[in-house]
Amino acid sequence: HGISIDTRSLKSGNLFLTIEGKNQDGIKYIPKAMKKGAQHIISSRSPKKFKMKTINIKNEEKFLNNFAFKKRDASDAKIIAITGSAGKTSLKNLIKDLLTNYGKTFCSPKSYNNHYGVPLSLSQLEPSHRYGIFEVGMSKAGEINKLSKLIRPHIGIITNVGEAHIENFKNLKGIASAKAELIKNIKKDGTIILNRDDKFFNYFKRISQSRNLKIISFGVSKKSDVSLFSKRERDIFLIKTKDEIIPLEIKNINVYNVLSSIALLKELNLNIKKIIKYYKTYQPSEGRGRIYEINRYNKKFKLIDESYNANPLSVKNAIKNFSSIKKNKFKKYLLLGDMLELGKRSKILHKNLSKVINNSDIDKVFIKGSKTLTTYKNIDMAKRGNIFQQEEDIDFTLNNIIANNDYLMIKGSNATGLNNLTKRIIKGN
């Protein structure tokens, strides 16, 4: 009936596993877990008063991985695993919403993509699930290998390779090598879906060929198996596959996520006509590009919430998507926070963002954080808005500059706190 390490999400009948973390210890939450209906406590350190309900083990993490492995063994679902430097969660959520139209679908929640998140997600698989979609993240080499050995996907998708977590690698090739660990654990006669426009496409292709996997490519490149044939007015995109051209009206979705999702649906031999209208109304998940109508400062404007996280590739993609919105008597503003975990390359990568901004149609850029100072100094003078020290400064400045129908995009790493600011703006606080 599933397993939980968090009483906030625990459901009646779940097993409660007592994980000891940096800030919290699951032992303290056993009484709450029992009140919420935990079937058993799984622990190496459970208090004696819960002896009758406790299954004693030697190592919690090892138990979790073994439990997940067995749940995966018992599943007949078609399993899909997604990795990449940017767009993993957005693509996972898009695919989940699409596949739900064809059968019962399980999708790993939120960003459950690490050494706890992946086995916890696998543990929720049920015999009735027809599809299972899992996100695989990493901060260093070897992590994707370990996680994808648990998942054992039938189909893998690599979105792209960028500088996320580059502080733990010598260069981009090291990151690509870590992403390729997914390919090594796709089941025999399985499929890999690759970004043809990514600089490491041929590298991934060679590894996939060595395992005799079926390779499907997507991208703007006309050589792709699923490609962007052309774009017409009113957000109409023509998507070309091997056997048809599909007209799609796309709003507020990264075109690469659209292309890779079509590639997956084709590989699963599903009727795409069934979900064509879905792309028009689709909204990205919270913090990943969702657009909100905001009433604030006695104005009505649009907020693009890109505040969940930030790395060089995801920021560039967000800015390009922002620029794709055609101007019509309104202005565009960007509030940018620091990108973290970039190590020695942090300064040059922040500087490189200024080139993307200068080539965009963004009117003013505001920054919050010490690292984005490098970005700000290299932005064209006309695009420089302000340097914010405190959140009070943000409201004071925006109150005086933003007008009706304008757009504001907020983007930054979680630790910058911009995601909390965004939530408060959305809630009206």
Side-chain angles (χ1 to χ4, degrees):
H1 297 288
I3 192 165
S4 176
I5 63 171
D6 189 338
T7 54
R8 291 171 297 182
S9 57
L10 183 142
K11 296 176 183 176
S12 180
N14 282 172
L15 302 174
F16 181 65
L17 183 66
T18 60
I19 296 290
E20 185 177 10
K22 291 181 180 179
N23 302 314
Q24 301 287 350
D25 190 345
I27 291 290
K28 297 178 182 178
Y29 294 89
I30 289 178
K32 190 173 181 179
M34 296 302 298
K35 283 183 180 179
K36 290 194 74 173
Q39 188 170 350
H40 288 287
I41 305 300
I42 312 293
S43 180
S44 63
R45 305 165 292 124
S46 178
K48 289 182 179 179
K49 64 178 179 178
F50 297 107
K51 184 178 179 181
M52 296 298 292
K53 274 285 187 177
T54 298
I55 298 172
N56 292 297
I57 55 172
K58 291 183 179 180
N59 182 289
E60 278 83 357
E61 189 171 345
K62 186 176 180 181
F63 172 88
L64 177 60
N65 285 330
N66 287 339
F67 187 89
F69 193 90
K70 290 181 183 297
K71 286 297 288 279
R72 170 66 183 91
D73 269 346
S75 174
D76 292 325
K78 183 69 76 171
I79 303 296
I80 301 127
I82 303 169
T83 194
S85 296
K88 295 186 294 295
T89 306
S90 297
L91 177 60
K92 177 195 69 178
N93 291 337
L94 173 62
I95 289 172
K96 180 258 295 181
D97 290 346
L98 293 173
L99 289 181
T100 300
N101 292 283
Y102 301 97
K104 189 173 180 181
T105 302
F106 176 79
C107 169
S108 55
K110 300 179 182 179
S111 288
Y112 273 36
N113 61 19
N114 63 8
H115 64 296
Y116 284 138
V118 168
L120 279 170
S121 298
L122 280 167
S123 298
Q124 311 306 321
L125 276 173
E126 298 173 5
S128 57
H129 283 128
R130 186 175 174 186
Y131 305 104
I133 313 154
F134 299 90
E135 179 182 341
V136 190
M138 64 98 195
S139 57
K140 57 186 178 182
E143 291 179 345
I144 289 178
N145 182 51
K146 182 180 178 182
L147 297 175
S148 54
K149 276 182 178 177
L150 281 178
I151 298 170
R152 288 163 284 161
H154 300 100
I155 302 172
I157 304 174
I158 302 179
T159 60
N160 45 46
V161 176
E163 294 92 346
H165 304 292
I166 200 167
E167 66 175 356
N168 297 325
F169 296 90
K170 288 183 179 180
N171 47 40
L172 271 178
K173 179 67 183 295
I175 293 177
S177 177
K179 301 297 181 190
E181 292 168 9
L182 173 66
I183 299 171
K184 298 171 185 176
N185 291 300
I186 294 173
K187 291 181 75 69
K188 186 180 178 182
D189 300 321
T191 301
I192 183 70
I193 299 174
L194 298 173
N195 184 342
R196 180 96 198 194
D197 301 334
D198 191 88
K199 64 179 73 175
F200 291 99
F201 169 74
N202 288 323
Y203 170 71
F204 292 141
K205 182 180 178 181
R206 286 194 297 272
I207 296 172
S208 303
Q209 287 172 331
S210 70
R211 290 212 57 229
N212 294 315
L213 297 176
K214 182 179 180 180
I215 302 167
I216 302 174
S217 63
F218 65 92
V220 175
S221 168
K222 301 303 179 187
K223 295 179 180 179
S224 308
D225 297 313
V226 178
S227 65
L228 181 61
F229 186 70
S230 67
K231 180 183 177 183
R232 296 179 178 177
E233 292 298 318
R234 296 182 182 178
D235 302 313
I236 302 295
F237 291 75
L238 296 181
I239 311 299
K240 185 177 183 297
T241 69
K242 284 187 175 180
D243 56 1
E244 65 178 325
I245 293 179
I246 306 165
L248 290 180
E249 186 171 352
I250 301 169
K251 291 187 176 180
N252 200 30
I253 318 179
N254 184 299
V255 70
Y256 283 96
N257 283 352
V258 173
L259 294 169
S260 55
S261 66
I262 293 291
L264 175 66
L265 295 177
K266 278 287 186 181
E267 173 59 12
L268 293 172
N269 199 28
L270 298 173
N271 180 8
I272 293 177
K273 290 180 181 178
K274 191 174 182 179
I275 47 82
I276 278 181
K277 292 181 180 178
Y278 181 82
Y279 286 95
K280 179 182 176 180
T281 57
Y282 181 77
Q283 271 279 12
S285 50
E286 181 182 319
R288 294 179 171 87
R290 177 166 289 198
I291 300 178
Y292 296 87
E293 298 281 347
I294 304 295
N295 289 307
R296 197 176 181 86
Y297 320 122
N298 296 316
K299 320 277 176 57
K300 290 184 178 180
F301 62 94
K302 291 182 173 63
L303 170 68
I304 301 179
D305 179 14
E306 280 277 4
S307 63
Y308 179 77
N309 219 334
N311 62 55
L313 184 56
S314 71
V315 176
K316 288 174 187 175
N317 288 342
I319 291 171
K320 288 177 181 178
N321 289 340
F322 198 13
S323 286
S324 70
I325 300 172
K326 290 184 178 179
K327 280 190 175 180
N328 183 20
K329 296 180 181 179
F330 60 77
K331 290 188 175 182
K332 297 180 183 179
Y333 301 108
L334 169 63
L335 172 52
L336 185 64
D338 289 349
M339 300 182 295
L340 306 178
E341 298 179 332
L342 299 178
K344 295 177 181 178
R345 289 180 54 78
S346 179
K347 190 170 183 177
I348 186 66
L349 291 172
H350 277 88
K351 182 180 179 181
N352 288 345
L353 281 185
S354 61
K355 299 174 185 176
V356 184
I357 292 169
N358 289 336
N359 289 326
S360 75
D361 65 352
I362 294 172
D363 292 285
K364 294 287 182 184
V365 177
F366 306 91
I367 64 161
K368 188 175 185 295
S370 58
K371 299 180 188 301
T372 45
L373 278 171
T374 305
T375 310
Y376 192 80
K377 290 174 182 176
N378 289 279
I379 294 173
D380 294 341
M381 285 293 293
K383 290 183 181 288
R384 293 184 197 177
N386 210 336
I387 300 169
F388 295 136
Q389 302 293 332
Q390 300 175 6
E391 284 190 12
E392 293 78 19
D393 301 336
I394 297 173
D395 267 328
F396 179 80
T397 301
L398 292 179
N399 183 34
N400 290 306
I401 193 171
I402 206 157
N404 285 320
N405 302 317
D406 285 347
Y407 277 75
L408 169 66
M409 183 169 77
I410 300 180
K411 182 76 174 172
S413 289
N414 263 331
T416 64
L418 287 181
N419 58 327
N420 293 323
L421 168 70
T422 306
K423 288 176 183 177
R424 286 198 290 275
I425 292 175
I426 294 166
K427 289 178 180 178
N429 298 334

